[in-house]
């Protein structure tokens, strides 16, 4: 478990580099990520390469006992390249090219850009193939950032036609799969297919879903190009990529086979402002939301594999609406929280506040005058506290399905339907109880999980139904949330009522649904208590299942809302509505008890427990201290039984034995 930093030596005079690198080593950092965005510095003119500066920087990193992580520089091609080949640019839906002058504007399907990528990636990787100070590579930077997964250029149109032809074989099959009789949308042949440009009314949902899948596959292929070239130069290097938080348009799991591990970029005080509905609290503006950060750690971790935080917020940042200073200690808290969720390394972004360019209002570990900022002190305090650990061993899987995200995004059926927030109702309830959760795709192997939570498997086919049936038949406990099984994988409603192919397993069908704005009273009874729900009500019609909850308000009153089906030693709980926090807590606690998963009592809001390798982390994301009650013989490795504001404790105890001392 270790720390590192992202460094741009090319932004500073070379005389300064020795001091910078020495200060990194003094803070206990072990990895230095470099060369991202540096194509124009490496190749100022076509075919004229200048590697001296990077050679020197890597050498300094090695001299100070650290390792370099290099990045392929493809997110920012030089001006000369774009002037020579304007066709490398992406286009907006209305055909407007995305221009040079920023970043991430090149097309994943452009044959020219793929050639150029191959050329520069081969050059930089071959250059450092035998360099002992280079540990591995990050391919490109944040694929899809700035809404760029989906492109509408001519190269993409041609590639989309090929993709469809490969998928459907003949155009009648495509017309049938999409249901193109609706509004006379049949295609006469594949040549007639174009990209979904601007239209007066909404697009055909099946066409959009396939276009989103195609755009995703284009990134997968583009990433594979990098990974293959990096490994061809040196197959001992690791290859990773820095994904983003709550990122909707790229299926991170689909790139996993080409990467050794996944990484992501964590900016807690930004995400609470621009990723979720509602206003953040002042504590969240200082330290972020532990479950929002935790969810992303758990997505990118994957079952029993590590992940890296390739960019960790170092202080105030430039891009959210507001830039409050993080609370004292927050940069240390975030690193420990990442480790508790399975991170092997946390790299702060960036070393020093930059004097030029778009990110002048973004902190670094050091200020622009070179003096230490809060982040440097936090990093230096954290480094000696980290120790080696086994991977996280999670008893529960939560199924996260990007295609269901895309399809519900295409037809949300309510302005308040928000895939991530609905998923968070369940995730937060699990995390409040200190349960470690593997957030995995529906295709994941579910053997070994005591319980599986599937908030919204909106698109469900027979294969998925078969796998979930096997899981439950072998004694697993499954929870199916609202809108599960409404559609088939082509984005058509199933002819049988939801949950479609999962109905026999669940022992229930959804007889009717409604989406409700906030002015309706939305209450539901469950296990003798009354709870709130929001936005979505599926009215259940159980056959084999037993009704465990009923709506208590509005048109739905008395209709079943929660049903439970025992299947041998296993069970399926179906929830028709989007549960409020308390109902989600009750449902999750019952699921965990049925599955025999030990769990803690919730601590105050914003205080979280996480267990890894025999230790429990108590992370306090609030401005109030919390006192702990732990077994008398439990020893603390970090902190003690009072966890201050934005502070952390690590105690050798089981998660269910760590309580609040009231
Ligand atoms: C990330 C990006 C970095 C930098 C950072 C600023 O999204 O990868 O290059 O822009 O944001 O917070």
């Amino acid at each position: 478990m270790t720390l590192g930093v992202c460094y741009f030596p090319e932004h500073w005079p070379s005389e300064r580099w020795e001091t910078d690198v020495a200060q990194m080593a003094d803070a206990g950092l072990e990895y230095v990520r470099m060369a991202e965005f540096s194509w124009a510095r490496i190749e100022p003119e076509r075919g004229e390469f200048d590697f001296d500066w990077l050679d020197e920087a890597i050498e300094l990193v090695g001299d100070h006992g650290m390792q370099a992580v290099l990045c392929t520089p493809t997110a920012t091609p030089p001006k000369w390249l774009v002037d020579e080949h304007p066709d490398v640019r992406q286009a907006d839906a209305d055909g407007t090219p995305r221009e040079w002058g920023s970043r991430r504007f090149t097309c994943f399907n452009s044959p020219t850009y793929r050639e150029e990528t191959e050329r520069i990636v081969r050059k930089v990787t071959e250059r450092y193939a035998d360099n002992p100070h280079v540990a591995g590579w990050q391919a490109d930077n944040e694929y899809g950032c700035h809404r760029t997964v989906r492109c509408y250029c001519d190269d993409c149109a041609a590639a989309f036609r090929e993709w469809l032809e490969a998928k459907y074989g003949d155009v009648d099959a495509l017309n049938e799969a999409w249901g193109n009789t609706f509004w006379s949308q049949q295609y006469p042949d594949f040549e007639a297919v174009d990209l979904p440009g601007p239209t007066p009314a909404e697009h055909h949902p099946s066409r959009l879903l396939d276009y989103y899948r195609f755009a995703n596959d284009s990134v997968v292929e583009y990433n594979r190009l990098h990974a293959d070239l990096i490994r061809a130069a040196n197959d001992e290097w690791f290859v990773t990529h820095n994904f983003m938080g709550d990122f909707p348009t790229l299926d991170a799991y689909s790139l996993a086979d080409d990467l050794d591990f996944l990484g992501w970029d964590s900016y807690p005080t930004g995400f609470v402002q621009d990723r979720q509905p509602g206003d953040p609290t002042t504590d969240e503006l200082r330290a972020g939301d532990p479950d929002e950060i935790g969810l992303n750690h758990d997505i990118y971790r994957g079952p029993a594999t590590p992940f890296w935080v390739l960019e960790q917020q170092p202080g105030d940042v430039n891009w959210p609406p507001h830039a409050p200073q993080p609370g004292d200690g927050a940069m240390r808290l975030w690193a420990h929280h990442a480790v508790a969720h399975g991170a092997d390394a946390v790299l702060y972004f960036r070393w020093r506040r930059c004097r030029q360019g778009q990110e002048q209002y973004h902190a670094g570990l050091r200020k622009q005058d070179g003096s230490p900022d809060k982040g440097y002190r936090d990093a230096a305090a954290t480094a000696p506290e980290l120790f080696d650990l086994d991977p996280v061993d999670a008893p529960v899987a939560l199924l996260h399905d990007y295609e269901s995200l895309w399809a519900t995004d295409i037809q949300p059926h309510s302005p308040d339907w928000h895939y991530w927030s609905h998923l968070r109702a369940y995730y937060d309830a699990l995390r409040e109880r200190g349960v470690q959760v593997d957030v995995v795709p529906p295709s994941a192997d579910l053997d070994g999980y005591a319980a599986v939570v599937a908030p919204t498997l909106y698109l469900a086919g027979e294969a998925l139904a078969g796998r979930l049936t096997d899981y439950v038949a072998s004694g697993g406990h499954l929870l199916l949330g609202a809108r599960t099984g409404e559609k088939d994988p082509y984005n058509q409603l199933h002819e049988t009522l939801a949950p479609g192919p999962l109905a026999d397993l669940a022992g229930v069908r959804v007889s009717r649904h409604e989406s409700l704005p906030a002015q309706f009273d939305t209450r539901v009874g469950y296990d003798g208590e009354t709870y709130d729900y929001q936005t979505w009500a599926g009215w259940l019609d159980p056959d084999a299942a037993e009704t465990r909850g009923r709506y208590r308000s509005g048109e739905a009153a008395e209709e079943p809302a929660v049903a439970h089906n025992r299947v041998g030693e296993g069970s399926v709980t179906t929830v028709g509505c989007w549960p409020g926090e308390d109902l989600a807590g009750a449902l999750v606690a019952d699921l965990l008890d049925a599955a025999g998963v030990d769990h803690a009592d919730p601590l105050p809001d914003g205080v979280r427990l996480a267990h890894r390798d025999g230790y429990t982390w108590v992370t306090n994301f609030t401005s109030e201290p919390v006192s702990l009650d732990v077994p008398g013989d439990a020893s603390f490795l970090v902190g003690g039984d009072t966890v201050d504001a934005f502070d952390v404790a690590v105690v050798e105890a089981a998660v269910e034995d760590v309580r609040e001392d009231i």
Side-chain angles (χ1 to χ4, degrees):
M1 311 309 118
T2 187
L3 298 181
V5 72
C6 308
Y7 183 43
F8 298 87
E10 66 275 27
H11 295 170
W12 301 97
S14 56
E15 304 76 59
R16 173 73 193 191
W17 298 352
E18 168 85 52
T19 309
D20 284 346
V21 172
Q23 288 168 343
M24 292 172 197
D26 284 351
L29 308 184
E30 293 184 27
Y31 287 104
V32 184
R33 196 192 69 168
M34 293 188 291
E36 205 187 25
F37 313 126
S38 65
W39 193 338
R41 185 76 172 77
I42 289 172
E43 192 182 14
E45 289 173 48
R46 177 170 290 283
E48 296 292 315
F49 292 94
D50 174 9
F51 281 109
D52 292 352
W53 66 278
L54 190 53
D55 295 350
E56 188 184 336
I58 294 172
E59 205 53 37
L60 279 171
V61 164
D63 287 351
H64 286 81
M66 299 181 289
Q67 291 262 288
V69 176
L70 297 182
C71 309
T72 58
T74 39
T76 51
K79 181 76 163 67
W80 57 257
L81 189 155
V82 183
D83 286 346
E84 264 178 39
H85 296 291
D87 59 301
V88 301
R89 295 170 304 169
Q90 291 192 318
D92 287 338
D94 67 358
T96 309
R98 297 179 182 154
E99 297 291 356
W100 184 89
S102 180
R103 61 177 175 184
R104 273 257 65 87
F105 58 93
T106 49
C107 177
F108 297 108
N109 283 308
S110 156
T112 317
Y113 203 60
R114 286 198 182 182
E115 246 173 63
E116 291 293 328
T117 295
E118 189 166 344
R119 199 178 56 79
I120 190 69
V121 174
R122 194 184 298 284
K123 193 81 187 172
V124 291
T125 53
E126 285 181 353
R127 174 84 185 183
Y128 297 109
D130 300 320
N131 190 308
H133 307 309
V134 178
W137 287 76
Q138 171 187 302
D140 203 284
N141 172 72
E142 292 189 340
Y143 294 129
C145 188
H146 316 301
R147 295 176 300 282
T148 57
V149 169
R150 297 169 192 158
C151 165
Y152 301 81
C153 74
D154 292 346
D155 287 332
C156 281
F160 186 41
R161 288 190 275 271
E162 273 175 34
W163 186 92
L164 289 173
E165 197 160 357
K167 177 166 178 175
Y168 294 105
D170 77 86
V171 80
D172 293 339
L174 178 149
N175 285 325
E176 177 71 25
W178 287 5
N180 282 346
T181 53
F182 191 82
W183 287 356
S184 277
Q185 292 174 87
Q186 297 94 331
Y187 292 106
D189 49 44
F190 285 106
E191 273 315 294
V193 180
D194 47 17
L195 295 173
T199 45
E202 65 269 43
H203 271 290
H204 193 300
S206 302
R207 177 183 177 199
L208 276 188
L209 181 62
D210 263 349
Y211 167 62
Y212 292 178
R213 287 175 171 136
F214 152 77
N216 191 87
D217 283 0
S218 310
V219 183
V220 172
E221 273 185 29
Y222 184 72
N223 176 65
R224 187 168 300 145
L225 177 65
H226 288 249
D228 289 350
L229 288 163
I230 294 166
R231 292 200 176 100
N234 180 341
D235 60 10
E236 310 242 295
W237 279 333
F238 65 72
V239 187
T240 186
H241 176 71
N242 58 332
F243 294 88
M244 289 163 282
D246 292 10
F247 192 67
T249 50
L250 183 63
D251 176 349
Y253 304 123
S254 67
L255 282 83
D257 283 349
D258 292 310
L259 300 171
D260 291 293
F261 56 84
L262 307 189
W264 80 285
D265 297 345
S266 175
Y267 292 91
T269 69
F271 294 159
V272 292
Q273 297 181 62
D274 79 348
R275 299 291 204 274
Q276 44 191 28
D279 289 329
T281 64
T282 51
D283 282 350
E284 287 170 345
L285 287 163
R286 296 281 178 218
D289 170 343
D291 296 335
E292 180 170 46
I293 310 164
L295 172 66
N296 287 286
H297 289 327
D298 295 348
I299 289 174
Y300 296 116
R301 183 177 70 236
T305 53
F307 70 98
W308 283 27
V309 177
L310 283 157
E311 294 182 16
Q312 175 64 70
Q313 181 175 341
D316 53 298
V317 289
N318 63 316
W319 49 265
H322 301 283
Q325 284 293 332
D328 275 348
M331 280 65 73
R332 170 172 167 268
L333 172 68
W334 294 329
H336 279 290
H337 183 245
V339 168
H341 280 259
D344 270 6
V346 177
L347 277 57
Y348 291 93
F349 181 93
R350 58 181 50 231
W351 170 244
R352 187 165 165 185
R353 186 183 293 265
C354 195
R355 292 187 50 233
Q356 316 91 4
Q358 279 91 327
E359 295 184 343
Q360 297 174 40
Y361 285 94
H362 194 294
L365 293 183
R366 317 272 305 190
K367 298 179 185 171
Q368 74 264 31
D369 66 357
S371 63
D373 209 340
K374 290 203 309 190
Y376 185 81
R377 298 200 181 94
D378 275 9
T382 310
E385 294 174 334
L386 301 181
F387 52 97
D388 283 345
L389 291 159
D390 285 346
V392 167
D393 182 13
V396 175
L398 184 142
L399 304 186
H400 163 41
D401 181 27
Y402 284 95
E403 295 197 347
S404 290
L405 189 171
W406 298 338
T408 51
D409 198 39
I410 291 167
Q411 291 187 309
H413 210 48
S414 158
D416 303 325
W417 181 265
H418 187 251
Y419 174 92
W420 294 107
S421 302
H422 173 255
L423 181 151
R424 285 278 306 275
Y426 294 101
Y427 178 80
D428 292 14
L430 289 160
R431 291 297 310 124
E432 270 176 10
R433 287 161 181 75
V435 176
Q436 289 281 27
V437 185
D438 282 344
V439 181
V440 295
S443 58
D445 179 0
L446 301 177
D447 272 6
Y449 290 112
V452 171
V453 176
T456 303
L457 294 175
Y458 181 68
L459 305 175
E462 295 294 341
L464 176 62
R467 297 182 50 258
L468 292 178
T469 303
D470 290 348
Y471 169 71
V472 174
S474 64
H477 295 272
L478 172 67
L479 185 151
L480 300 175
R483 308 195 68 175
T484 289
E486 284 183 12
K487 300 267 203 137
D488 70 16
Y490 299 103
N491 212 4
Q492 298 201 27
L493 283 175
H494 283 291
E495 190 164 356
T496 54
L497 299 179
L502 293 165
D504 289 345
L505 176 63
V508 75
R509 289 188 194 284
V510 179
S511 61
R512 190 162 283 142
H513 59 253
E514 58 178 346
S515 67
L516 294 164
Q519 48 273 53
F520 282 100
D521 193 13
T522 45
R523 281 174 297 125
V524 60
Y526 174 72
D527 204 15
E529 303 283 331
T530 301
Y531 296 95
D532 291 329
Y533 72 95
Q534 68 168 87
T535 308
W536 195 269
W539 307 0
L540 306 185
D541 181 9
D543 44 65
E546 161 210 347
T547 298
R548 290 220 170 149
R550 287 182 190 273
Y551 292 105
R552 291 224 169 128
S553 56
E555 289 293 302
E558 295 313 316
E559 295 289 342
V562 181
H564 186 263
N565 199 23
R566 284 200 70 87
V567 184
E569 295 298 299
S571 70
V572 185
T573 305
T574 304
V575 184
C577 60
W578 175 338
E581 188 181 336
D582 293 340
L583 177 56
L587 291 163
V588 157
D590 287 348
L591 180 77
L592 295 172
D593 290 341
V597 175
D598 290 331
H599 54 98
D601 290 334
L603 272 74
D605 269 358
V607 182
R608 287 290 179 265
L609 300 169
H611 194 74
R612 180 176 181 186
D613 196 14
Y615 305 95
T616 292
W617 278 251
V618 186
T619 45
N620 184 1
F621 283 71
T622 80
S623 50
E624 294 296 325
V626 59
S627 301
L628 303 178
D629 173 9
V630 299
D633 57 351
S635 56
F636 281 87
L637 281 86
V638 175
D641 57 13
T642 298
V643 187
D644 286 327
F646 310 124
D647 201 351
V648 57
V650 184
V651 59
E652 197 169 1
V655 81
E656 61 275 16
D657 292 336
V658 180
R659 300 188 171 81
E660 186 182 10
D661 187 13
I662 314 177

